[in-house]
Coordinates of all heavy atoms in Angstrom, one line a residue:
E988 N 114.7 118.7 60.1 CA 115.5 118.2 61.3 C 117.0 117.9 60.9 O 117.9 118.3 61.6 CB 114.8 116.9 61.8 CG 115.2 116.6 63.2 CD 114.3 115.5 63.8 OE1 113.2 115.4 63.4 OE2 114.9 114.8 64.7
L991 N 118.8 121.3 60.1 CA 119.3 121.9 61.4 C 120.5 121.2 62.0 O 121.4 121.9 62.5 CB 118.1 122.0 62.4 CG 117.2 123.2 62.4 CD1 117.9 124.4 63.0 CD2 116.6 123.5 61.0
R995 N 124.0 122.8 63.1 CA 124.5 122.7 64.4 C 125.9 122.1 64.5 O 126.8 122.5 65.2 CB 123.6 121.8 65.3 CG 122.2 122.5 65.5 CD 121.5 121.8 66.7 NE 121.5 120.4 66.6 CZ 120.6 119.6 66.0 NH1 119.6 120.2 65.4 NH2 120.7 118.3 65.9
L1004 N 121.6 129.0 68.8 CA 120.7 128.8 67.7 C 119.4 129.4 68.2 O 118.8 129.0 69.3 CB 120.4 127.3 67.4 CG 119.2 126.9 66.6 CD1 119.3 127.5 65.2 CD2 119.1 125.4 66.5
A1005 N 118.9 130.4 67.5 CA 117.6 131.1 67.9 C 116.6 130.9 66.7 O 117.0 131.1 65.5 CB 117.8 132.6 68.1
L1006 N 115.4 130.4 67.0 CA 114.5 130.3 65.9 C 113.1 130.7 66.3 O 112.7 130.6 67.5 CB 114.5 128.9 65.3 CG 114.1 127.7 66.2 CD1 112.6 127.4 66.2 CD2 114.8 126.4 65.6
T1007 N 112.3 131.0 65.3 CA 110.8 131.3 65.6 C 110.1 130.6 64.4 O 110.6 130.4 63.4 CB 110.5 132.8 65.6 OG1 110.6 133.3 64.2 CG2 111.4 133.6 66.5
R1041 N 104.7 122.8 68.6 CA 105.9 122.9 69.5 C 106.7 121.6 69.5 O 107.9 121.7 69.4 CB 105.4 123.2 70.9 CG 106.4 123.5 71.9 CD 105.8 123.7 73.3 NE 106.7 124.2 74.2 CZ 107.6 123.6 74.8 NH1 107.9 122.3 74.5 NH2 108.4 124.2 75.7
E1043 N 107.1 119.5 67.3 CA 107.8 119.2 66.0 C 109.1 120.1 66.0 O 110.0 119.7 65.3 CB 106.9 119.6 64.8 CG 105.7 118.7 64.6 CD 104.8 119.2 63.5 OE1 105.0 118.8 62.3 OE2 103.9 120.0 63.8
L1044 N 109.1 121.2 66.7 CA 110.2 122.1 66.6 C 111.3 121.7 67.6 O 112.5 121.9 67.4 CB 109.9 123.5 66.9 CG 108.6 124.1 66.3 CD1 108.4 125.6 66.6 CD2 108.7 124.0 64.8
A1045 N 110.9 121.1 68.8 CA 111.8 120.9 69.9 C 113.0 120.1 69.4 O 114.2 120.4 69.8 CB 111.1 120.2 71.0
P1046 N 112.8 119.0 68.5 CA 114.0 118.2 68.1 C 115.0 119.0 67.3 O 116.2 118.6 67.2 CB 113.4 117.1 67.3 CG 111.9 117.1 67.6 CD 111.6 118.5 68.0
W1047 N 114.6 120.1 66.7 CA 115.5 120.9 65.9 C 116.7 121.5 66.7 O 117.7 121.9 66.1 CB 114.8 122.0 65.2 CG 113.7 121.5 64.2 CD1 113.5 120.2 63.8 CD2 112.8 122.3 63.5 NE1 112.5 120.2 62.9 CE2 112.0 121.4 62.7 CE3 112.5 123.7 63.4 CZ2 111.0 121.9 61.8 CZ3 111.5 124.1 62.6 CH2 110.8 123.2 61.8
F1048 N 116.5 121.5 68.0 CA 117.6 122.0 68.8 C 118.6 120.9 69.2 O 119.7 121.2 69.8 CB 117.1 122.6 70.1 CG 116.3 123.9 69.9 CD1 114.9 123.9 69.9 CD2 117.0 125.1 69.6 CE1 114.2 125.1 69.7 CE2 116.2 126.3 69.4 CZ 114.9 126.3 69.5
G1049 N 118.3 119.7 68.8 CA 119.2 118.5 69.0 C 119.6 118.4 70.5 O 118.7 118.6 71.4
D1050 N 120.9 118.2 70.8 CA 121.3 118.0 72.2 C 121.8 119.3 72.8 O 122.4 119.4 73.8 CB 122.4 117.0 72.3 CG 123.7 117.4 71.5 OD1 123.6 118.5 70.8 OD2 124.7 116.7 71.7
W1051 N 121.5 120.4 72.1 CA 121.9 121.7 72.7 C 121.0 122.1 73.8 O 119.8 121.6 73.9 CB 121.8 122.8 71.6 CG 122.8 122.8 70.5 CD1 123.4 121.6 70.1 CD2 123.2 123.8 69.6 NE1 124.3 121.9 69.0 CE2 124.1 123.3 68.7 CE3 122.9 125.2 69.5 CZ2 124.8 124.0 67.7 CZ3 123.5 125.9 68.6 CH2 124.4 125.4 67.7
S1052 N 121.5 122.9 74.8 CA 120.7 123.2 76.0 C 119.9 124.5 75.7 O 120.4 125.5 75.3 CB 121.6 123.5 77.2 OG 122.7 122.7 77.1
L1053 N 118.6 124.3 75.9 CA 117.7 125.5 75.7 C 118.1 126.5 76.8 O 118.2 126.2 78.0 CB 116.2 125.2 75.9 CG 115.6 124.4 74.7 CD1 114.3 123.8 75.0 CD2 115.4 125.4 73.5
G1057 N 113.3 128.6 77.7 CA 112.9 127.5 76.9 C 112.1 127.9 75.7 O 112.2 129.0 75.2
I1058 N 111.3 127.0 75.2 CA 110.5 127.3 74.0 C 109.2 127.9 74.5 O 108.5 127.3 75.3 CB 110.2 126.0 73.2 CG1 111.5 125.3 72.7 CG2 109.3 126.3 72.1 CD1 111.3 124.0 72.1
C1083 N 109.0 130.3 69.8 CA 110.4 130.7 69.7 C 111.3 130.0 70.7 O 110.7 129.5 71.7 CB 110.5 132.2 69.9 SG 110.1 132.8 71.5
G1084 N 112.5 129.9 70.5 CA 113.4 129.3 71.4 C 114.9 129.6 71.1 O 115.2 130.0 69.9
V1085 N 115.7 129.5 72.1 CA 117.2 129.8 71.9 C 117.9 128.6 72.6 O 117.6 128.3 73.8 CB 117.6 131.1 72.5 CG1 119.1 131.4 72.3 CG2 116.8 132.3 71.8
A1086 N 118.9 128.1 72.0 CA 119.7 127.0 72.6 C 121.2 127.2 72.4 O 121.6 128.0 71.5 CB 119.3 125.6 72.1
R1087 N 122.0 126.6 73.3 CA 123.4 126.8 73.3 C 124.1 125.5 73.0 O 123.7 124.5 73.7 CB 123.8 127.4 74.6 CG 125.3 127.7 74.7 CD 125.6 128.2 76.1 NE 127.0 128.6 76.2 CZ 128.0 127.7 76.4 NH1 127.7 126.4 76.6 NH2 129.2 128.1 76.5
K1088 N 125.1 125.5 72.2 CA 125.8 124.2 71.9 C 126.7 123.9 73.1 O 127.5 124.8 73.6 CB 126.7 124.4 70.6 CG 127.4 123.1 70.3 CD 128.0 123.1 68.8 CE 128.7 121.8 68.5 NZ 129.0 121.7 67.0
P1089 N 126.7 122.7 73.6 CA 127.4 122.3 74.8 C 129.0 122.3 74.5 O 129.4 122.3 73.4 CB 127.0 120.9 75.2 CG 126.0 120.5 74.1 CD 125.9 121.6 73.1

Side-chain angles (χ1 to χ4, degrees):
E988 201 167 332
L991 269 288
R995 292 197 313 270
L1004 165 63
L1006 63 86
T1007 70
R1041 187 185 192 283
E1043 293 175 87
L1044 316 183
W1047 295 354
F1048 293 103
D1050 65 351
W1051 291 23
S1052 327
L1053 284 166
I1058 300 175
C1083 65
V1085 179
R1087 181 182 184 279
K1088 184 166 181 167

